[in-house]
Amino acid sequence: MVFQVILPILILLLMGYCSVLIKLVTPEQIRALSAFVIKIALPAFLIQSLANKNLQEIWHPSYFIAYGGGSLILFFLAFIIYRKLFKNSLTHSAVISMGASMSNTGFMGTAILTMLMGSHAAIYISLTLIIENLLIVALMLILAEAGLHQQQQLFPLLKKTFINLLKNPVIIAILVGMSCILLGIHLPSKLGQAIELLGKTASPLALFAIGGSLVGIGITAVNLQSILLAGFNVILMPVVIFGLFLLLPNVSREMLYAGTLIAALPMPIAFGIFGQAYGLNERALTPLMISTIIGFIGVSGLIALWW
């Protein structure tokens, strides 16, 4: 099973990487492709998949507690270590903590889980994206901006972050899909078919874009901080979340496997983007590359073990 899942993923990653390397596709086009995936294809996949579910299928309080709790534990543990031990600024510590507690769910997670679980994967992807965006990204943005604007009051920062999150197409798609479930709304057949066709492009295009975005990312700032950060993300995070799942009631084997697999994924490309925006530069790109390599090995091992 592992080769049936991993081999196509490797081929798509390699195709994206080589396309940029030989200048068949430009980095600007890869960024545009990534924007299409995150703003159009992935939201379409989530809407179409969620709209066909019922409330019992998506109501998993244990998942929110385990995955959300584990993510917050990793975020604050990393924040304390990088702020107090390594003496990073408030802004840099916040961004680094996001890298320690967030996975590549939207791109790689969608591709891998869809191949393993079909449309049912949308349930766990949606729940994870809610946790990542409303908890981890929001917390990172509040702390990072507070570090840059230390004289600004907290309420305007919270308001700005909340408004930006509500503009996120992924969050909008999840809200639309959840509304369809709660209100018993079914998409018209032709509209559903069109959205389904869009959604099916999310996985292959996401992997192609990830491969292309890796061109130019080198491992040039290897040190204790970058290695520890990668270890937080692809080793400690799945271990913590796996342990929390085991402690909670009403956790199915499917939920345990899906949540742990998502937690074992590498850092999101967004970590590199935020790292560049907030001045981390190579200090963000190096652990991103390390986590991609180690995380891919770890995920392959979990697929071989559980599927």
Side-chain angles (χ1 to χ4, degrees), residues 210-272:
I210 290 173
S213 65
L214 293 177
V215 177
I217 297 180
I219 305 180
T220 59
V222 178
N223 53 34
L224 179 60
Q225 292 193 47
S226 61
I227 294 173
L228 181 63
L229 179 55
F232 258 89
N233 178 258
V234 294
I235 298 175
L236 188 57
M237 185 173 177
V239 169
V240 169
I241 289 177
F242 179 81
L244 289 175
F245 274 125
L246 292 179
L247 293 175
L248 291 170
N250 303 317
V251 174
S252 65
R253 180 174 295 183
E254 179 186 83
M255 185 191 302
L256 174 68
Y257 290 175
T260 305
L261 186 67
I262 293 173
L265 292 169
M267 296 177 191
I269 298 297
F271 172 67

Side-chain angles (χ1 to χ4, degrees), residues 16-295:
Y17 186 89
C18 292
S19 295
V20 174
L21 193 65
I22 65 175
K23 304 187 186 310
L24 183 63
V25 177
T26 66
E28 291 74 21
Q29 290 170 329
I30 288 293
R31 284 193 286 270
L33 188 61
S34 299
F36 173 81
V37 171
I38 206 69
K39 294 182 179 180
I40 305 295
L42 179 57
F45 169 76
L46 294 173
I47 290 174
Q48 193 277 330
S49 299
L50 288 176
N52 293 324
K53 300 292 186 293
N54 57 54
L55 186 59
Q56 287 71 31
E57 289 180 284
I58 67 163
W59 180 242
H60 297 303
S62 294
Y63 192 92
F64 279 107
I65 295 171
Y67 202 98
S71 298
L72 287 175
I73 289 171
L74 268 293
F75 184 96
F76 285 113
L77 181 60
F79 184 84
I80 292 171
I81 290 175
Y82 281 86
R83 181 82 169 118
K84 300 298 184 182
L85 181 61
F86 293 119
K87 307 299 181 182
N88 286 279
S89 67
L90 177 61
T91 297
H92 287 177
S93 297
V95 179
I96 290 170
S97 299
M98 186 198 91
S101 57
M102 188 169 163
S103 296
N104 199 327
T105 308
F107 285 83
M108 196 173 289
T110 301
I112 293 176
L113 245 67
T114 301
M115 295 180 71
L116 292 171
M117 303 170 60
S119 63
H120 203 58
I123 296 172
Y124 301 108
I125 293 168
S126 299
L127 296 177
T128 307
L129 288 171
I130 291 172
I131 293 167
E132 289 178 341
N133 284 278
L134 298 186
L135 280 181
I136 303 304
V137 174
L139 191 57
M140 181 276 294
L141 289 173
I142 291 169
L143 291 173
E145 290 297 321
L148 295 177
H149 309 286
Q150 297 187 11
Q151 302 303 316
Q152 189 171 339
Q153 294 182 345
L154 180 61
F155 180 74
L157 287 175
L158 294 174
K159 181 180 178 181
K160 177 182 176 182
T161 302
F162 181 73
I163 291 174
N164 287 336
L165 287 173
L166 288 182
K167 293 178 181 178
N168 187 324
V170 170
I171 296 299
I172 294 172
I174 293 172
L175 292 176
V176 170
M178 296 287 286
S179 298
C180 290
I181 293 172
L182 295 174
L183 300 176
I185 299 172
H186 297 283
L187 297 175
S189 60
K190 298 302 179 184
L191 176 61
Q193 289 174 6
I195 293 176
E196 183 180 7
L197 287 173
L198 266 179
K200 286 181 177 179
T201 67
S203 296
L205 291 182
L207 291 171
F208 187 91
I210 290 173
S213 65
L214 293 177
V215 177
I217 297 180
I219 305 180
T220 59
V222 178
N223 53 34
L224 179 60
Q225 292 193 47
S226 61
I227 294 173
L228 181 63
L229 179 55
F232 258 89
N233 178 258
V234 294
I235 298 175
L236 188 57
M237 185 173 177
V239 169
V240 169
I241 289 177
F242 179 81
L244 289 175
F245 274 125
L246 292 179
L247 293 175
L248 291 170
N250 303 317
V251 174
S252 65
R253 180 174 295 183
E254 179 186 83
M255 185 191 302
L256 174 68
Y257 290 175
T260 305
L261 186 67
I262 293 173
L265 292 169
M267 296 177 191
I269 298 297
F271 172 67
I273 296 172
F274 281 119
Q276 296 279 0
Y278 286 105
L280 282 169
N281 301 319
E282 287 299 321
R283 293 177 60 202
L285 296 179
T286 296
L288 174 62
M289 179 61 82
I290 295 173
S291 80
T292 300
I293 296 170
I294 300 175

